[in-house]
Amino acid sequence: MTEPEHLAELVVVANRLPVDRIVDGEGEPGWRRSPGGLVTALEPVMRRADGAWVGWPGQPDIDVDPFEFEGTFLVPVVLSSDEVEKYYEGMSNDTFWPLYHDVIAEPRYRRVWWDSYVKVNRRFAEATAAVAAHGGTVWVQDYQLQLVPQMLRDARPDLTIGYFHHIPFPAYGLYSQLPWRRQVLEGLLGADVIGFQRVADAGNFARAVRRQLRYETKASGITVPTPDGTNRRALARAFPISIDASSYIELARRDDVRARAQEIRESLGNPRKILLGVDRLDYTKGIRHRMKAFGELLQDGKISVEDVTLVQVASPSRERVGAYMQLRDEIELTVGRINGDFDTMDHTAIRYLHQAYPREEMVALFLAADVMLVTALRDGMNLVAKEYVASRIDNRGVLVLSEFAGAADELPSAVRINPHDIDGMKDAIMRAIDMPAAEQGRRMRALRRKVIEADVARWSQSFLDALEDARRLRGRQGARA
């Protein structure tokens, strides 16, 4: 690989670049910044550090030279259609995703997928090694790239390496099913700092390291042997991710967004209460459980369609994976059955929207909704919960939150539920519907304080501070040696 002209002090490595490829009205290809919290969080940091971002452009067989985009140097990694199928749809999303989400769906273990995963991870590591300045910092993102930290350490021992795991890390009894369990742990331990969403996830990782590799783990530190016979310390602890709260507050104050929220209520027939679910269409999100509870409340006569409407936004996700196609069929069948049983000419029980919306429309939905339902069966964090809270500048509304979402650790003032307990969820929904304004205010003020204080900028800075501490520690150890 030829030495690039641009060497970066900070390199972010993620499955996707922070831009989407678009074609303008004249058929000319171009790029548009992707929406999303990670891009928002890292953009100012990357600009300050003259950083680079290594990632896949999002479409197979696109071979693009590195380029500058809005102050960040982007390094595209090409993936073939076969690699998208095996590394991404296969190993990442049909093996790691279900395994790490408590085997809600059955993971599949295929050696050809693993071989592709290793090959693609090596390509990402090589692209990163080529663009990182000597003594620079690399921050690897998420489960698609778990082997990159050790590959990088082998190639570039001068680098300080961080890895952040955005999804849950499972208990050892589940993790141990993975045929390549040692290789993944060794890959992750190439990092100086390994971040997780929850304290429990970091604990699960440390237990897996003890059981599989027999390395010493104390507090959040792990002793990792090195090829020269010495040891180094890897830090593994929780760094719960957050959102750019100020951008949601700003949108919630806009007159056009507030007017749109009122339009939404009117278009739904001005029900007394609007319940809202916003999810990717994924089996981890508990959408079926939520609809079952809602349907039973209608059946029991606890609520009526004239009084209460459920709006479910389910954005398309992994539509070529069989489990997701089946999930969509099941959910749409459930929506049709409930609406068929309970709709009137003027009111609909469930307004189901299988599409994605811009942020302005989402904030209008948050403002229109009296109750936000986050019923994930397992979720690394669930940023929708935080987005709803940030948007409620009126200190009203109720967040019903699964205890199995990472956000539950930080948002104790939400109404907590076990989504597997349908009766308990029904009780929680009724409690949220009937909650007095004074109690809503007390809870929402506490939630908003937490979300505004611990925003995404604080998250990224805390992780980068931990990496800087690791760099200084390595420097002291090198000086003693």
Side-chain angles (χ1 to χ4, degrees):
M1 183 176 289
T2 59
E3 186 82 1
E5 296 177 9
H6 186 111
L7 292 178
E9 295 295 333
L10 172 65
V11 183
V12 170
V13 193
N15 179 62
R16 287 289 303 274
L17 287 173
V19 293
D20 295 320
R21 191 171 173 84
I22 57 171
V23 177
D24 65 20
E26 298 178 358
E28 289 296 316
W31 302 95
R32 176 182 59 206
R33 184 164 293 282
S34 305
L38 183 64
V39 176
T40 303
L42 296 181
E43 181 184 10
V45 179
M46 300 290 279
R47 286 184 176 176
R48 285 199 305 272
D50 192 24
W53 189 304
V54 177
W56 173 46
Q59 298 173 26
D61 302 307
I62 292 180
D63 194 354
V64 184
D65 289 334
F67 62 98
E68 194 92 18
F69 183 88
E70 294 183 1
T72 301
F73 189 66
L74 303 184
V75 183
V77 175
V78 65
L79 297 182
S80 68
S81 297
D82 182 68
E83 287 166 340
V84 172
E85 180 185 337
K86 292 174 180 172
Y87 145 79
Y88 182 67
E89 294 175 351
M91 193 69 209
S92 295
N93 292 327
D94 216 356
T95 302
F96 285 125
W97 182 268
L99 176 65
Y100 285 15
H101 286 86
D102 288 0
V103 194
I104 294 167
E106 185 178 355
R108 294 198 292 163
Y109 306 112
R110 297 191 60 192
R111 287 170 289 179
V112 291
W113 291 355
W114 172 253
D115 293 342
S116 181
Y117 185 85
V118 174
K119 181 180 173 184
V120 171
N121 271 240
R122 190 165 301 285
R123 191 176 308 147
F124 272 85
E126 288 170 352
T128 305
V131 80
H134 183 80
T137 297
V138 174
W139 191 0
V140 183
Q141 305 290 332
D142 223 4
Y143 65 103
Q144 301 95 344
L145 303 173
Q146 294 173 98
L147 306 182
V148 168
Q150 185 56 50
M151 291 174 172
L152 262 183
R153 184 162 296 282
D154 291 341
R156 293 285 307 274
D158 58 291
L159 298 174
T160 302
I161 303 167
Y163 170 89
F164 188 75
H165 198 75
H166 290 256
I167 67 173
F169 196 91
Y172 181 73
L174 295 176
Y175 179 77
S176 60
Q177 295 179 22
L178 183 67
W180 309 281
R181 55 199 182 182
R182 289 180 65 90
Q183 293 96 311
V184 169
L185 294 175
E186 288 166 349
L188 293 173
L189 286 170
D192 297 288
V193 179
I194 306 146
F196 298 91
Q197 299 281 25
R198 309 181 81 166
V199 172
D201 295 326
N204 287 342
F205 174 73
R207 277 187 287 277
V209 169
R210 285 197 301 272
R211 295 285 295 274
Q212 275 298 311
L213 304 179
R214 306 296 181 189
Y215 293 172
E216 181 184 21
T217 64
K218 287 185 178 177
S220 54
I222 298 172
T223 303
V224 184
T226 59
D228 63 5
T230 61
N231 294 324
R232 62 179 182 83
R233 296 283 282 175
L235 175 70
R237 71 173 179 86
F239 295 86
I241 199 169
S242 194
I243 63 168
D244 179 18
S246 61
S247 68
Y248 286 88
I249 293 169
E250 185 179 319
L251 283 171
R253 287 178 174 150
R254 272 176 35 183
D255 290 341
D256 60 325
V257 173
R258 299 172 71 80
R260 176 61 186 145
Q262 188 56 43
E263 280 180 15
I264 290 170
R265 292 197 73 94
E266 290 169 1
S267 72
L268 295 170
N270 279 315
R272 183 170 66 91
K273 297 287 181 178
I274 295 173
L275 315 184
L276 176 63
V278 175
D279 311 90
R280 279 190 315 104
L281 189 59
D282 193 289
Y283 49 75
T284 64
K285 302 299 183 180
I287 301 171
R288 287 174 293 196
H289 298 63
R290 179 185 316 163
M291 289 184 173
K292 183 174 180 61
F294 183 72
E296 288 189 11
L297 287 172
L298 288 166
Q299 185 72 51
D300 297 344
K302 297 281 186 68
I303 59 175
S304 69
V305 290
E306 290 83 7
D307 269 353
V308 181
T309 295
L310 170 61
V311 177
Q312 176 62 57
V313 177
S315 58
S317 176
R318 299 169 189 161
E319 296 189 288
R320 292 177 19 172
V321 178
Y324 289 79
M325 292 187 280
Q326 181 183 344
L327 175 67
R328 180 178 179 181
D329 289 344
E330 290 176 4
I331 287 175
E332 291 179 356
L333 191 67
T334 300
V335 171
R337 180 180 54 77
I338 292 173
N339 285 348
D341 286 346
F342 298 104
D343 279 8
T344 66
M345 289 294 184
D346 300 316
H347 294 90
T348 294
I350 300 175
R351 182 67 61 86
Y352 174 73
L353 305 161
H354 180 59
Q355 51 201 281
Y357 290 94
R359 186 176 291 187
E360 289 85 354
E361 184 75 356
M362 292 312 308
V363 172
L365 274 167
F366 293 148
L367 291 174
D370 303 285
V371 179
M372 184 79 218
L373 299 176
V374 177
T375 61
L377 306 180
R378 175 65 71 193
D379 216 335
M381 176 53 63
N382 195 287
L383 295 179
V384 167
K386 296 185 175 185
E387 291 167 1
Y388 177 74
V389 167
S391 301
R392 294 309 306 221
I393 58 176
D394 58 355
N395 289 317
R396 290 293 179 269
V398 183
L399 174 63
V400 176
L401 180 59
S402 167
E403 63 188 73
F404 303 120
D409 291 353
E410 297 184 275
L411 304 177
S413 298
V415 176
R416 287 169 61 106
I417 57 162
N418 171 1
H420 300 280
D421 176 7
I422 301 299
D423 285 337
M425 195 190 311
K426 288 161 64 178
D427 290 343
I429 291 171
M430 290 307 302
R431 181 181 173 194
I433 287 172
D434 295 332
M435 186 175 290
E439 184 181 350
Q440 289 183 39
R442 284 196 303 274
R443 287 173 175 269
M444 190 56 71
R445 279 190 289 273
L447 293 169
R448 285 176 54 74
R449 275 196 299 273
K450 180 64 177 179
V451 170
I452 292 168
E453 172 190 311
D455 68 356
V456 72
R458 179 168 157 181
W459 167 77
S460 61
Q461 193 57 55
S462 68
F463 197 98
L464 291 169
D465 287 347
L467 279 174
E468 186 56 35
D469 290 344
R471 178 200 300 282
R472 284 196 291 265
L473 176 62
R474 287 175 60 219
R476 289 198 297 271
Q477 290 171 338
R480 286 199 298 270

